[in-house]
């Protein structure tokens, strides 16, 4: 590996779209520097990149397809969680999110608001932080979704700039359906129902008290609480009516560094602004080592797509949005070419989880498809929620067209990037990622991941065992969503639950051999699989060993840290009148 790096002397670039990690092949040539660019998208399943076995094919993604042709394709690339916040925490830290507390035990799957106190703890080390210490210029453009404030509206304790990034332009929370009028609601519809119910109860109380006072069934003093209940009912009704606009201002805004620059976002201009910022970053730092993470708002609802891409795809608005993202990838790759960075840049492409089957508007699918893979975003164990695309390109170093059919994880980015940058992987904590370099270079036949664990919130739902001697890839499910026999997702909900009545517990566990049954269609039993007990017992021992390595940490996504607090609300005006536009238009 040292000889590979020395070929580039003092300057080589690494432009990853996805995640990498390493722990054994430590770079010893300390004079070597590097540059990294990551593309991280959303709601893109493992069939996103075209392959013969894929049942779903998005035809017009020429730039991503060319990236796969010119690079190495990871066909068993896995997210560490099937939801945004925990998956992204694992990506940046190389650790299962349960170790950092970026999970919940009470049904809160992601950070719900910009004005919550939960977030990526300050004692967690990101690969961006290590590269920053190595002298890299580090940037994040797009979605963060790992928290913002702790005690005050501007303490920014969870901000990207406190986790190793010098430059940030994007959304501190996440793109969501509520950011666009008429989109799929992820918060307002549910909250409106609760507010309306509370308003009806308050109105009924007011009416009862007023009637009692008017008919002298209650003392005259009942008029005062009746008036109070009427006021409460009016306030609740008003809050319900204006909730959509309040959410747009509270959560759908842009920041540059520590400053809010557009609140609410002008959605049609967001993509041009972010692309413009990415190109400017590349040009600004082309002479020195840098890390840039392009964290797309695509392809998440409300699928904001600019005019020239609307109606182009035969896959509806989702396909239009994918094609626009592919064009953005092409623009950035063209910039690398124009600036002479292509051959010295490692590019990586991945998604933070699989497609969201539940995201539908009428007959239109807005959350993507997962092809042959069973399950959806939010399902802790089924492949459809965690199998994601993975591409790594490094011209002249990695063999073009290579396909790796070994299990790999988004957590693997951490040690790989740290190693390539000449840094040291932290020794004071468990790092769950494993180096990708031997697999990418073709110097190893098997992944370093013998076992991988699949959590749903803080509950372990499944585990896989890569039995290298035989080539079998066993998958054990301890819990799965309780779906109707004719359904493949939790339609009518945002995502499936992780616990409670909506989950089936399996004892003995369900067993699949993904090497023969990648769709997880046929559960094995002791009658159909002679190795059933041997496999399940071997996996159980690995799970127990993993659990002994866990330490108690505060759960950042639980209700206490995941409830809206007005004193934490980011605001570019005087709260509650939060509105500004310091961005102008994109080019």
């Amino acid at each position: 590996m040292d000889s590979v790096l020395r070929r580039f002397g003092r300057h080589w670039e690494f432009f990853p779209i996805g995640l990498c990690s390493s722990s054994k092949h430590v770079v010893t040539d300390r004079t070597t520097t590097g540059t990294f660019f990551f593309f991280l998208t959303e709601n893109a399943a493992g069939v996103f990149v075209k392959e013969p076995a894929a049942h779903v094919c998005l035809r017009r993604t020429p730039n991503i397809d060319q990236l796969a042709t010119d690079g190495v394709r990871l066909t068993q690339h896995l997210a560490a969680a099937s939801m945004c916040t925990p998956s992204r925490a694992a990506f940046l830290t190389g650790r299962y999110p349960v170790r950092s507390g970026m999970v919940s035990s009470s049904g809160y799957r992601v950070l719900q608001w910009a004005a919550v106190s939960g977030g990526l703890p300050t004692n967690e080390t990101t690969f961006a932080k290590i590269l920053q210490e190595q002298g890299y210029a580090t940037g994040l453009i797009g979605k963060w979704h790992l928290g913002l404030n702790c005690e005050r509206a501007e303490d920014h304790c969870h901000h990207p700039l406190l986790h190793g990034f010098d430059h940030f332009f994007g959304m501190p929370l996440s793109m969501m359906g509520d950011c666009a009028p008429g989109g799929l609601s992820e918060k307002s519809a549910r909250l409106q129902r609760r507010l309306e119910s509370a308003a009806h109860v308050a109105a009924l109380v007011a009416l009862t008290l007023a009637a009692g006072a008017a008919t002298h069934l209650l003392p005259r003093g009942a008029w005062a609480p009746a008036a109070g209940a009427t006021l409460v009912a009016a306030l609740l009704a008003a809050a319900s009516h204006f909730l959509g606009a309040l959410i747009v201002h509270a959560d759908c805004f842009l920041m540059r560094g520590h400053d809010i620059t557009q609140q609410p976002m002008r959605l049609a201009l967001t993509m041009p602004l972010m692309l413009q910022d990415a190109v400017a970053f590349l040009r600004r730092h082309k002479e020195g080592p840098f890390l840039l993470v392009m964290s797309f708002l695509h392809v998440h609802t409300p699928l904001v797509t600019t005019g020239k891409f609307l109606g182009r795809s035969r896959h509806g608005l989702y396909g239009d949005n994918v094609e626009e993202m592919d064009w953005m990838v092409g623009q950035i790759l063209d910039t690398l070419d124009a600036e002479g960075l292509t051959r010295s840049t490692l590019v990586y492409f991945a998604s933070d989880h699989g497609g969201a089957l539940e995201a539908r508007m009428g007959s239109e699918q807005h959350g993507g498809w997962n092809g042959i893979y069973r399950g959806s975003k939010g399902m802790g164990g089924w492949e459809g929620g965690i199998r994601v695309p993975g591409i790594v390109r490094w011209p002249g170093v990695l063999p073009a067209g290579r396909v790796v059919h070994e299990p790999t994880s988004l957590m693997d980015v951490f040690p790989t990037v740290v190693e390539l940058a000449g840094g040291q992987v932290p020794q004071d904590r468990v790092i769950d990622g494993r180096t990708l370099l031997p697999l990418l270079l073709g110097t190893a036949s098997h992944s370093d991941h013998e076992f991988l664990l699949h959590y749903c919130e803080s509950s372990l739902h499944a585990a896989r065992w890569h039995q290298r001697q035989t080539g079998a890839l066993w998958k054990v499910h301890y819990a799965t969503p309780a779906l109707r026999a004719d359904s493949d997702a939790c339609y009518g909900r945002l995502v499936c639950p992780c616990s409670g009545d909506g989950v089936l517990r399996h004892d003995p566990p369900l067993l699949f051999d993904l090497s023969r049954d990648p769709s997880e269609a046929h559960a094995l039993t002791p009658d159909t699989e002679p190795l059933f007990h041997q496999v399940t017992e071997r996996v159980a021992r690995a799970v127990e060993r993993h659990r002994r390595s866990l330490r108690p940490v505060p759960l950042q996504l639980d209700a206490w840290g995941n409830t809206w607090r007005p004193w934490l609300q980011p605001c570019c005006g005087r709260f509650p009148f939060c509105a500004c536009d310091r961005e102008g238009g994109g080019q």
Side-chain angles (χ1 to χ4, degrees):
M1 185 63 208
D2 289 351
S3 62
V4 170
L5 297 178
R6 280 194 291 269
R7 291 171 53 189
F8 296 94
R10 286 191 57 82
H11 184 74
W12 64 274
E13 280 81 25
F14 178 19
F15 183 106
I17 302 181
L19 312 169
C20 321
S21 84
S22 82
S23 55
K24 295 181 182 177
H25 304 265
V26 179
V27 177
T28 57
D29 183 357
R30 303 293 296 187
T31 65
T32 302
T33 60
T35 297
F36 307 83
F37 195 112
F38 297 179
F39 287 126
L40 190 63
T41 184
E42 296 196 78
N43 290 357
V47 298
F48 187 88
V49 178
K50 293 204 274 276
E51 57 180 291
H55 289 187
V56 177
C57 186
L58 297 167
R59 296 292 178 187
R60 292 186 291 199
T61 52
N63 297 295
I64 297 171
D65 295 343
Q66 190 62 49
L67 197 65
T69 299
D70 295 341
V72 178
R73 186 155 55 87
L74 308 173
T75 65
Q76 293 191 41
H77 207 39
L78 299 162
S82 60
M83 296 291 290
C84 314
T85 298
S87 176
R88 288 164 184 265
F91 161 54
L92 285 173
T93 64
R95 290 153 53 83
Y96 287 112
V98 71
R99 296 193 191 277
S100 60
M102 292 300 284
V103 294
S104 168
S105 62
S106 55
Y108 293 96
R109 308 295 301 279
V110 299
L111 290 173
Q112 301 289 314
W113 304 86
V116 299
S117 63
L120 188 62
T122 56
N123 62 355
E124 286 295 323
T125 300
T126 68
F127 57 73
K129 185 67 173 177
I130 295 176
L131 266 63
Q132 186 183 58
E133 293 170 351
Q134 293 293 113
Y136 280 67
T138 55
L140 172 68
I141 298 172
K143 170 177 174 172
W144 174 239
H145 210 179
L146 293 173
L148 192 58
N149 298 312
C150 289
E151 297 178 356
R152 304 183 313 279
E154 294 183 352
D155 66 27
H156 293 174
C157 64
H158 301 305
H159 194 283
L161 299 192
L162 268 72
H163 279 293
F165 293 100
D166 304 317
H167 174 81
F168 171 61
F169 174 56
M171 295 186 71
L173 194 67
S174 171
M175 181 63 80
M176 55 184 174
D178 297 286
C179 290
L184 280 168
S185 172
E186 297 175 43
K187 286 197 296 195
S188 63
R190 182 179 69 255
L191 291 173
Q192 279 176 331
R193 287 193 296 269
R194 293 178 181 175
L195 288 170
E196 288 168 1
S197 297
H200 292 155
V201 171
L204 181 61
V205 170
L207 183 61
T208 301
L209 290 171
T215 58
H216 305 293
L217 293 175
L218 293 174
R220 182 178 298 179
W223 284 110
T230 301
L231 178 61
V232 170
L235 290 173
L236 289 169
S240 175
H241 179 75
F242 293 108
L243 183 63
L246 292 172
I247 288 175
V248 168
H249 282 76
D251 292 335
C252 307
F253 59 90
L254 294 177
M255 297 185 75
R256 281 191 183 273
H258 290 290
D259 299 323
I260 299 173
T261 57
Q262 200 173 75
Q263 188 175 23
M265 296 161 55
R266 298 171 63 187
L267 297 178
L269 298 180
T270 301
M271 182 278 287
L273 285 169
M274 289 185 175
L275 180 57
Q276 179 179 300
D277 199 62
V279 170
F281 185 98
L282 289 175
R283 290 172 176 165
R284 191 163 62 247
H285 297 289
K286 65 180 180 180
E287 298 300 331
F290 66 79
L291 160 72
L292 180 58
V293 178
M294 185 72 176
S295 180
F296 284 114
L297 304 182
H298 298 59
V299 280
H300 197 290
T301 55
L303 301 175
V304 176
T305 308
T306 56
K308 68 179 181 179
F309 290 96
L310 287 172
R312 285 181 34 159
S313 169
R314 64 187 179 88
H315 293 282
L317 186 58
Y318 178 85
D320 295 343
N321 204 239
V322 167
E323 292 189 15
E324 180 175 60
M325 180 185 67
D326 177 80
W327 175 80
M328 293 175 70
V329 169
Q331 293 296 299
I332 292 172
L333 296 181
D334 287 348
T335 302
L336 289 174
D337 250 343
E339 301 300 330
L341 299 173
T342 295
R343 290 191 60 80
S344 56
T345 298
L346 188 151
V347 178
Y348 178 90
F349 180 94
S351 175
D352 60 358
H353 51 68
L357 301 184
E358 291 88 349
R360 286 180 169 180
M361 285 194 72
S363 60
E364 275 198 38
Q365 181 63 31
H366 281 204
W369 297 265
N370 293 322
I372 65 171
Y373 302 119
R374 186 173 180 177
S376 174
K377 169 184 177 179
M379 297 189 190
W382 295 124
E383 292 290 283
I386 55 177
R387 183 83 73 105
V388 297
I391 306 170
V392 187
R393 188 193 74 173
W394 191 359
V397 179
L398 302 182
R402 177 174 173 77
V403 180
V404 174
H405 295 298
E406 295 286 303
T408 57
S409 169
L410 269 64
M411 296 184 294
D412 295 343
V413 174
F414 182 98
T416 305
V417 170
V418 169
E419 170 193 343
L420 290 173
Q424 293 292 329
V425 173
Q427 301 299 306
D428 61 346
R429 65 200 62 199
V430 175
I431 301 296
D432 298 297
R434 299 290 183 267
T435 182
L436 289 172
L437 292 176
L439 287 175
L440 298 175
L441 293 166
T443 59
S445 300
H446 296 297
S447 165
D448 274 351
H449 287 294
E450 184 178 9
F451 298 94
L452 281 166
L453 293 307
H454 306 301
Y455 279 89
C456 193
E457 295 187 79
S458 58
S459 175
L460 184 69
H461 273 207
R464 74 182 63 213
W465 175 28
H466 184 211
Q467 193 176 17
R468 301 182 185 120
Q469 302 92 326
T470 65
L473 186 59
W474 304 103
K475 179 91 167 285
V476 174
H477 286 265
Y478 301 105
T480 57
L483 305 176
R484 298 195 311 268
D486 60 344
S487 180
D488 56 354
C490 294
Y491 296 110
R493 309 179 56 130
L494 287 176
V495 293
C496 291
C498 295
S499 58
D501 294 338
V503 170
L504 298 175
R505 299 285 173 180
H506 303 288
D507 187 12
L510 300 181
L511 177 65
F512 298 89
D513 181 357
L514 298 183
S515 60
R516 293 178 289 170
D517 180 21
S519 300
E520 297 174 285
H522 307 289
L524 302 172
T525 68
D527 294 331
T528 60
E529 176 51 65
L531 298 176
F532 182 93
H533 293 295
Q534 178 183 333
V535 170
T536 55
E537 289 168 7
R538 181 72 179 88
V539 174
R541 290 196 298 272
V543 168
E544 179 58 30
R545 186 168 62 250
H546 161 77
R547 284 181 167 148
R548 288 198 300 269
S549 74
L550 299 177
R551 299 293 180 266
V553 292
L555 299 187
Q556 300 291 318
L557 273 58
D558 266 354
W560 176 252
N562 213 352
T563 301
W564 182 77
R565 302 179 186 186
W567 60 91
L568 296 182
Q569 179 59 54
C571 186
C572 62
R574 185 178 294 277
F575 182 81
F577 304 104
C578 305
C580 64
D581 187 359
R582 300 165 189 157
E583 289 295 342
Q587 297 296 315

